[in-house]
Each structure stands twice: as C-alpha cells, then as structure tokens.
Amino acid sequence: MKKFLIAAGALVSALSANAALAEDDTIKVGVLHSLSGTMAISETTLKDTVLMMIDEQNKAGGLLGKQLEAVVVDPASDWPLFAEKARELIEIEGVDVMFGCWTSVSRKSVLPVIEELASVPLFYPVQYEGEESSKFVFYTGAAPNQQAIPAVDYYLEELGVESFALLGTDYVYPRTTNTILEQYLLDAGIAAEDIFVNYTPFGHSDWQTIVSTVKDLSASGKKVGVISTINGDANVPFYKELANQGISAEDIPVVAFSVGEEELSGLDTGPLVGHLAAWNYFQSAEADVNDEFVETWQSFIGNDERVTNDPMEATYIGFKLWAQAVEAAGSETYADWRPEIYGMSVPNLTGGEATMLPNHHLTKPVLIGEIQDDGQFDIVSQTTEVPGDAWTDYLAASATRMSDWADSEVDCGNYDTETGECFGQNY
Amino acid sequence: MLRLLTLLVALIILSPAWASAQSLGDILASRSDDLAAGKTATIKEIAADVAATRDPQTRDVLEGWIDGRLHYRRSDNLIVFADKTDSGYDLSDPITGDALGSVGKKDTKKVKNSTPIKAILRPGLAALDLSSVDPEKRLSAAEQISKKPTVQSLALLEQALATETVAGVQSALETAALIATFAVSDAADKLAALETMGDRLEPSVRGAVQRVANDKNEAPEITEAAQARLASIETRVALNNFGNNILFGLSQASVLLLSAIGLAITFGVMRVINMAHGEFVMIGAYTTFVVQTSLPVSSGVGLLISIPIAFAVAFIAGVILERLVIRFLYGRPLETLLATFGVSLVLQQSFRLIFTPQNRPIVTPDWLAGNLSLNPILGITTPRLFVFGIALAVFFGLLLFLQRSRFGLEMRAVTQNRAIAKTMGINSSRVDYLTFGLGSGIAGLAGAVLSQVLKTNPDMGTDLIIPSFMVIVVGGVGSLWGALVGAGLVGMATKLVEPLFPNNTLLATAIILVAVIGFIQFRPRGLFAQKGRSAEL
C-alpha cells in the first residue's frame, strides 16, 4: 500500500512537472472561428490558415525559441457563444493571442470579455463597418475607406453609374456601410431618389422581386449599378436569379463586398462574368510572395484546387505582424509587445507594405476585380496603400473622432478632436 | 430618296475607315507595349483606335478582345490570339492567322478587357455586325448600339432597317432607332417619334423618354409630350408589374409546395414531427451535385437523371431512419421531435465534413437557362417555370397514387385505424416504413429540382424546415390539398406584401409570420381541417 502511494505521488509530481514544462515551452495561440453552423462556410478556411501559419512558424524554429501551440474552439456561429469561448480561451486555456471572428456581431460579442480581462488581444481578419477601435483588437481587414468608398469611386468614375441600388443583409455591417455610402453618394451629387436601399434577412432565398425592381430602375434613364453587402449563402440564389433574369455586368454591374474566391467556388460563374468585387487581395495578384503563399496553402490543405481569399491574407498579415512584434519585444505578453507593433510593416501579398497604424488598422491597397469564368478575379483597378480609418469622415457623428493607442496623450480608441476627450466605453 | 443620299454622304464622310490613318496591324504592333502595361486610360485610347479601323480582321480582333482571346506574349509583348488547350495556349497571329506555336499557361496574358474597355469595343463591333449574315448578331448589334447611340449609329440603324427582313431583328432595330432618335435627333423628329411610338414597355425606351422629359435644354412642348407619353405608359407598367408579382407568387408557392409536400406525408399523414425533413431535401440536392460531377461532360441531362436517383437515395435514407429510430417512437411526438432534430444535426455536420461547408455549384443546363418573357416587364425565369411544372406534377401524381393504388389504400387504412387495418391483413409496419420512405423520397426529389433556384449547402435544410411546417399547418394537417392551398396562400401573400416594403424585405417576412400566427388562432386546424374520428388522433 505504501509502495502504491509513493508510486502515485511520483506519478502526480511527474505529471505536474510535465504540465509546467508545457506551460513554459509553448506559446498558445487561440483560434476562435466557427466550425459549424451558418458561418462555418467562411470561417473554417481561416481556422486552417492560422494552423498553416503556426505550422510554418514552428518549422522555422518557432518564436522566441518556443513552439507555437494552437488551441482551436468552435463557437458554432452562435454569437453569445463567441463571448464564452473567448473567456474559455483566455481564462482556462491561458492563450497569449487570439485570431478569430468573422461577422461584426460576433466581434461585438467578444469585445466586453477581452476588455474586461484586458490581457489578450484579438486579431480580426475581415472587412468591417468601422466606427470602432479597441485596445485589444487589431483590425487586419478593411475599414470602409479601404473597400466600400474606393469601389463607389470606381462606379462613379469608370462605369459612369448614376443610380445606385444598395442591397444588403439586415445586420450591423451592411447597415453601417450603407449609411456611410448613402452620405458619400449624396455628397457626390447623386440625388436621394436615385439611391435605392434594401435589406433582406440572412439566408434570403427568393430574389425575384428585388432583382426585377433593380432591373426596372433603369427606366429612370440613368445608368444603374448595384452595391451588394449581401452576406453568406443568400448570395447563391441572388446570383442565380441575376443570371436567369439576364442582367449582364455591362448593363447593370454588381459590386460585392462579401463575395471572394471562396464564395465563387460554390457558384456557377459562367453567367456572372464581369460582375465585380472589391477587396484588398485577390488570388490572381501577380507577385512572387503571393505565388508562394498560394502554393504553401494548397500543399498544406492537400488540394491544388483550393483557392485563397482576402480574409486569409488579412490573417496572414496579422499573424506575421504579431510574430514580428513578439520577436522584437522578446516576450509573448501583450503589454510587452504592444508598443513594438505600431509602425511595424510586413509585405502585402499583392505587393507593397502593410503597416500597423496606431489606430489598430492597417495600410492596404484597394483592388477591384471582375469575375472570370474560372472563378478567379481579373484585377481591373489597384490603388496604392490606403491607411485604414477607424472613424469615417463621411458621417457627421464620427468625423471628429480618431483613435490613437500609441500616443500617450490620447491613448484612446474614440478621441474627439474637438472636445479633446474620450467618450463612453473603451471601444 | 434625298434623305437617303445625304445619309450615305454623311456616312462616307464620317466613316472611320477614312478617318483613321493607321491600319489595324500597325496599331497592334506599335502599341503592344502599352497594351501589355495595362493602364486603363491608355488601353481605352487604343481600343477606340482599333474600333475605328475597317481592316478585314477588325471584326475578329474586336470580338477576340471582348472575349478575352487577345493576349500578349510575356517574353516580347507580341499581340496574339490565344486559344486554351489542356496545358496552356495555342498562339496565332491576329492579322495573318499564322500559327505561332504553343506556350504554357503563364507565358501569355490577356489584354485588359474590363467593362469600361468593352464599352468602347462593343459599338465598333456592333457597327460591323449590323451587316452580318447571322440574324442573332444583327439583333445583339442593334441592342448594343442603343446603349450609346450617336448620329452615325442612327444612320447605320436606319440603313439596316431598310434591308432587314427578319421580324425579330426588325423590331430590335426599330427600338434601337427609337432610342437613338431620342438621344441625338432634332426637335421635330423627337416630337414625331413621341407621337407615333405607342406605349412601349422596354426599360431602355422608357429611360430614353425619361431623359427627354428631364432635359432642361429641350423645348417645353417636347418635354411635355415626353411626360404625357410616360404618363400613358405608367398604367400599363403598373399593371404588368402587378402581373409580375402574381407570377413571382406562383413561383414562390411552387417552391414551398415542393419542399413541403414530402412533409405532408410524414407529418400530415403519419403524424411524425420530422425535423430532419429539410435534410432529406439536402440529400436530394447533393445527389444532383454528385451526378453532375460524375458525368463525363456537362451534357445537360444530369439534372433529369438525378431526379429519380435523388428520389431513390432519399427513399432509402428515409426507410433506414424509420427502421432505426422512428418506429420506436410512434405516439411520442416530443421524443420524435428531439430524435429527428438530432438526426438533422448529424446529417448537416456529416455533409459539412464530406462536401465542405461551401455551397456546391449546380450548373443550370443550357436548355433550362434564361427566362420566358411575355413582354419586356412580364416574365419568369425558366428554371422557376420548371420547378412550377414539377411541383404540380408531383402533387397530382401523389394524389393519384394515394387515391388509386393498392398501397395508397393500405396507407390510408393504417392511418385511419391501425388495429382494424391489421385485422384486415395489412402489414402495418411495412406500410409505415414505405410511407416514411415515400415522404423522404419526395423530399429528395424536391431537393434535386430546387437546387436550380436555391443554394446547395449543409444549411439548406434548416432554411426550408420552418416554411414547410408553416405551409402544412396553414393548409391543414393530413390533407394534400391543404398543402397545395397552404403553399399557394403563403407564397402569394409573401410576394404581394414584399413590394409594399421595397426597402425592407425582412419586415415583409415578419408580417407574413404574424399573419400566419393570427390565422392559426382562428383556424387551429388549418384550411382543410380533418373531420371525424381520425382528426382526434
């Protein structure tokens, strides 16, 4: 019996020593992407991207001499569950950094948790509506001025569109983006009656009425263009209806902010040739670093048909920046590497540099692509890098606000330049 | 005659063949570096130059450029025609047609042909195609010219009209000429056109008239005439739009009927609350995808073949589900609900793992693509017409089967009184699994057909289950006719309410749901309530 106790004691101490060893030897990376439910369609790919980046980093010797360890959880496209899973990652798993979220509502649900725990930041890799800058979130996707506004400029200048249909899914990103765009269009001299706005529920499947309404807009004698913030799988029946009602891109172009290569792989693209998307990255971008990225991805996933897309590039940039900042600070603790990351740059996959700004947004080139029949985009317009603007200049309420987490004077995500004060909540 | 003569003279003077100094070959050779450099503004200039040439090859080059066949060779920026092969491209000289050998995929690149560039190339091509021998080309040329009419193109249109014999092309030419008249002609011609044009419904014609009406530089009598014309078109437009909404409603109703009719059997007849019903529809849709990808070429028959296969696959899946799970739960609706809900989650996640969470592309075969228009406003897309036809066929087929066949009789006997049916020698357990299989099989068949208008991903079942139950409950549980009327009511109501809230489709959906709740308060058993003893089961 005594012998047994000793053995048991030895075992326990050995185990705990092992645990302590594991704690010291790895840097834990939390992955907070839905692997089931409606958003799995988009987010599963990003989980794989983070795993690929970790794999690459570990092959190259890890970070600070430690191996990286992924902790993957599944918030199941359930917004409140995102908050719980974020808490679990930080408090129970003890991760050092998190990559995750897709929809804005999931990010908004995580925000209170990471603000409260105030120790672990989130890299958020998707284009979003702006009007936010948290100390604990790095927004590596596009702000409205890096996607929506340049796309509208392309419509106005290159395609000569005079009448706009803003179609969106009914939630925070399309609503905010369309509010900004409406104001921008009014400022550009488009009459209010030439702006048609429509919101549909998630997963909307019957687009007959809306598509025929858009078709009939051209009876106003003006060139019509559609700006789509339709999100998720509602795009499938939408594009089908568009194709069957015979709306060609040369008559009524549609520019989408949520449709990329991944989404196109699920569509019959033949009838959609020429319709547009605006992103900061397309797989078809010609750059060596991009070729290498695509190749690594396809070999990691074991399928040379798999495509890459914009949120994947944003994940790539976020990961590289984080690794670089940790390396520079010599510590994986957020408080240590946070000052290092401001002004830090990594190469974009489309050429040029992505620099982390003090407002936690990036500099990004804006690309507009036309859909081709092979499901890739033909890049028809590319700007130089545009700095991301957390607070849009086109809405009166946010024009005077700015965010600066590097300047100790401001040190705030919602600084009002007129009153010289931060207001309300932290984010 | 005099008019025609002046036109001809004008044509000769204005015709770009004389205006352009450079030949097509010169342009392509001298500006190849600019074409390769990809600056849209420069390429637009070159496109205008190319469109203005009248060399024998101009037509081919314009068409090739629009279609993305015009490439430049990366090694020396030589402009070539590139035709896709398995390993890369076969190159040929666009001017001489000489073959220039084959190259790999990355050795050439398409000369930029974005929409703004196409907008410059198209009118050039259209002007040439107006005299093509192919009536389809003449037709599309007429439509193309009407998009950006000029004085020259109006002259071309009138010249083409004088010789055109094909009726369809003739009317397209007339429409194009009408639009061009409103854009470029003098006041007298415009006024005359406004008076003689009649009430046209084409959005493009209405747009042209609207532009005249809005034009502040026009004489007041012209803008007034244009406004009068628009006002007189207005009623017909409104009437046709209403007709459209009815068509949309019928189509929506057929989609609902098709997705609910399997449930009318499993839930309506067998009283099994089958939460996995949507997943059987999904099984059917994925079967279509598998059939489509396993056929050697997209021959267009894939869809037709997959309809019976989808039925069979879902039938078998339904029988398995009944034997393994549901038969132990008869008469326990809550447990059935939970069990089938669990099955639906399992099915969803397995399809997500097998087929990826991404939507799977279902190709619309050529014979089914497009739309059937009665006039420029009123019309329905052919895939929807197809869904409509199948929905009715399935409905009446099923009705006939249940009323006239031996199995239909046994099935009705078992649902009405199981004990007596058994004493009559009916194997009730066999009837159970076959009935459930039938309901599931029809759901699978529906999935194969609905994949033409809906998405095909693991979530499609979730989106279908609530409307399906709604249709059955509104129509009256246990009645096939109820399903038909329920689908018709819900579909029609949705499509008639939706246009009232053009800016918020979500609100329209909510109103329908509220209306259904209200309806159930007053008629809890639905429209076709079952009477008699079986209703009390």
Side-chain angles (χ1 to χ4, degrees), chain A residues 35-42 44-45 74 154 157-159 162 170 175 195-210 212-213 215-223 233-234 236-238 240-241 243-246 248-251 253 262-269 273-276 284 286 291 306 370 372-374 378-381, chain B residues 40 44 66 72 74 84 106 109-110 112-116 118-119 122 144 147 201-204 206-208 210-211 214 230 237 241 244-245 247-249 251-252 255 348-349 352 356-364 368-371 376-377 380-384 450-457 459-460 463 495 498-499 501-507 509:
Chain A
L35 310 179
S36 55
T38 50
M39 289 314 295
I41 189 167
S42 307
T44 311
T45 311
D74 177 15
Y154 184 80
E157 288 156 19
E158 287 291 332
L159 299 179
E162 303 156 299
D170 204 355
R175 286 238 175 218
I195 306 174
F196 169 78
V197 187
N198 170 276
Y199 293 104
T200 39
F202 266 106
H204 188 62
S205 65
D206 192 305
W207 290 90
Q208 299 180 90
T209 312
I210 295 159
S212 87
T213 306
K215 212 162 136 184
D216 218 44
L217 286 179
S218 55
S220 66
K222 293 177 175 137
K223 169 92 178 167
D233 51 15
V236 178
F238 171 64
K240 273 189 183 168
E241 192 66 34
N244 284 326
Q245 290 207 18
S248 83
E250 287 172 57
D251 295 334
E262 183 85 22
E263 286 74 19
L264 284 187
S265 74
L267 282 167
D268 175 17
T269 44
V273 170
H275 287 302
L276 303 146
S284 56
E286 292 189 0
D291 290 347
R306 274 297 285 272
E370 284 185 5
Q372 288 180 293
D373 53 6
D374 62 355
D378 183 14
I379 299 169
V380 296
S381 153
Chain B
T40 306
K44 275 177 166 175
I66 290 170
Y72 61 89
R74 282 186 200 267
K84 218 173 182 135
K106 296 207 161 172
K109 189 166 192 302
K110 181 176 86 171
K112 206 169 190 179
N113 65 345
S114 58
T115 304
K118 278 184 191 157
R122 289 260 187 223
Q144 204 57 51
K147 285 178 196 163
L201 290 174
E202 294 93 334
S204 54
R206 280 153 59 209
Q210 184 74 56
R211 274 192 290 268
N214 292 348
L230 284 173
V237 170
N241 274 333
N244 242 353
N245 290 335
L247 283 184
F248 293 164
S251 168
Q252 167 86 327
V255 170
Q348 274 178 39
Q349 197 63 21
R352 205 168 272 140
T356 82
Q358 208 47 254
N359 189 70
R360 293 292 87 202
I362 304 284
V363 180
T364 304
L368 197 58
N371 57 5
I377 295 178
I380 189 150
T381 68
T382 31
R384 287 188 174 275
L450 290 177
S451 66
Q452 283 303 318
V453 293
L454 303 179
K455 60 198 176 188
T456 307
N457 69 20
D459 296 310
M460 69 181 296
D463 291 351
K495 286 292 142 182
E498 214 180 286
F501 305 96
N503 296 333
N504 197 336
T505 309
L506 192 66
L507 189 59
T509 320

Side-chain angles (χ1 to χ4, degrees), chain B residues 204-525:
Chain B
S204 54
V205 177
R206 280 153 59 209
V209 179
Q210 184 74 56
R211 274 192 290 268
V212 173
N214 292 348
D215 195 342
K216 296 200 172 56
N217 301 325
E218 291 291 358
E221 72 255 32
I222 295 183
T223 52
E224 275 161 28
Q227 260 142 11
R229 176 55 70 193
L230 284 173
S232 102
I233 299 175
E234 195 63 42
T235 340
R236 286 194 60 198
V237 170
L239 216 60
N240 276 292
N241 274 333
F242 183 73
N244 242 353
N245 290 335
I246 301 278
L247 283 184
F248 293 164
L250 285 174
S251 168
Q252 167 86 327
S254 68
V255 170
L256 287 172
L257 176 65
L258 208 46
S259 56
I261 198 162
L263 199 65
I265 296 174
T266 50
F267 176 57
V269 177
M270 297 180 74
R271 301 296 159 93
V272 171
I273 301 183
N274 181 13
M275 295 302 284
H277 171 74
E279 276 60 46
F280 286 104
V281 179
M282 174 186 80
I283 287 176
Y286 273 98
T287 308
T288 317
F289 172 70
V290 173
V291 169
Q292 174 193 292
T293 42
S294 53
L295 283 181
V297 272
S298 306
S299 49
V301 294
L303 178 64
L304 294 181
I305 300 174
S306 56
I307 291 176
I309 300 182
F311 177 85
V313 172
F315 179 89
I316 294 166
V319 170
I320 294 174
L321 178 64
E322 202 274 344
R323 288 288 91 183
L324 290 184
V325 182
I326 291 171
R327 70 166 160 150
F328 303 110
L329 300 170
Y330 282 121
R332 289 152 66 190
L334 273 182
E335 283 89 333
T336 321
L337 187 147
L338 278 179
T340 50
F341 183 61
V343 169
S344 89
L345 290 182
V346 169
L347 282 173
Q348 274 178 39
Q349 197 63 21
S350 11
F351 273 67
R352 205 168 272 140
L353 291 174
I354 301 168
F355 291 99
T356 82
Q358 208 47 254
N359 189 70
R360 293 292 87 202
I362 304 284
V363 180
T364 304
D366 284 340
W367 53 268
L368 197 58
N371 57 5
L372 187 79
S373 31
L374 304 173
N375 69 38
I377 295 178
L378 201 59
I380 189 150
T381 68
T382 31
R384 287 188 174 275
L385 203 62
F386 177 70
V387 170
F388 187 80
I390 297 278
L392 284 188
V394 166
F395 175 77
F396 285 109
L398 200 59
L399 204 61
L400 214 62
F401 180 72
L402 292 187
Q403 299 296 333
R404 295 291 161 85
S405 74
R406 166 86 197 176
F407 177 73
L409 186 69
E410 290 182 1
M411 192 181 119
R412 283 179 294 139
V414 170
T415 31
Q416 277 176 17
N417 194 322
R418 183 175 294 266
I420 292 187
K422 272 170 138 172
T423 61
M424 305 292 282
I426 294 173
N427 180 348
S428 74
S429 142
R430 177 174 157 272
V431 169
D432 281 339
Y433 73 73
L434 285 181
T435 309
F436 196 83
L438 179 68
S440 310
I442 286 173
L445 184 157
V449 178
L450 290 177
S451 66
Q452 283 303 318
V453 293
L454 303 179
K455 60 198 176 188
T456 307
N457 69 20
D459 296 310
M460 69 181 296
T462 324
D463 291 351
L464 287 173
I465 189 80
I466 291 170
S468 297
F469 270 108
M470 200 158 83
V471 162
I472 300 296
V473 171
V474 167
V477 177
S479 159
L480 273 189
W481 284 102
L484 179 76
V485 176
L489 262 184
V490 175
M492 205 52 105
T494 311
K495 286 292 142 182
L496 290 182
V497 171
E498 214 180 286
L500 303 179
F501 305 96
N503 296 333
N504 197 336
T505 309
L506 192 66
L507 189 59
T509 320
I511 288 175
I512 295 298
L513 284 171
V514 170
V516 167
I517 294 172
F519 176 83
I520 294 173
Q521 293 297 321
F522 293 105
R523 295 205 60 143
R525 290 183 179 279

Side-chain angles (χ1 to χ4, degrees), chain B residues 58-73:
Chain B
T58 303
R59 206 198 151 275
D60 286 347
V61 169
L62 287 174
E63 195 176 46
W65 193 343
I66 290 170
D67 295 343
R69 255 184 86 214
L70 196 71
H71 282 222
Y72 61 89
R73 195 156 66 187

